[in-house]
Amino acid sequence: MDLSFARLERDVAITAMPTELAVLLVGVAARQAASPTARAQARLALVAPVEQLLAPAHGAFHSLAALALTRRKEE
C-alpha cells in the first residue's frame, strides 16, 4: 500500500472518490468510533489533573485504610 503524500508529487492525476464509497467509509468509521472498545479506550486515555491525584476529595490516598486507622486510634 502506498502511503506517500500525493500532493508532493507533481505528475500525479487527482481522482475523486465515488460518493457511495465515501458514505460507506464514513459509516464504518462512525460505527468503529461508537463501539464499546473504542469508548473504553477513550476513557483510558483521559488524564486526571495532578492536583486530583495528590489531593483526593475524601482527603486520603486510601480511604478505607484511613478509616481503619482512625477507628483504631479512637479505641
Side-chain angles (χ1 to χ4, degrees):
M1 180 187 301
D2 183 17
L3 298 177
S4 62
F5 292 103
R7 60 186 164 91
L8 299 178
E9 299 171 8
R10 303 207 186 278
D11 59 344
V12 174
I14 298 175
T15 59
M17 183 182 296
T19 306
E20 295 83 12
L21 179 59
V23 170
L24 177 68
L25 291 176
V26 167
V28 168
R31 284 191 296 276
Q32 283 181 335
S35 72
T37 305
R39 287 184 284 152
Q41 184 66 33
R43 282 192 303 272
L44 288 175
L46 294 177
V47 178
V50 175
E51 293 82 19
Q52 285 182 347
L53 294 174
L54 298 177
H58 50 72
F61 288 107
H62 193 283
S63 59
L64 294 176
L67 182 62
L69 289 171
T70 304
R71 285 184 183 159
R72 183 175 170 98
K73 286 181 185 179
E74 292 173 359
E75 292 176 357

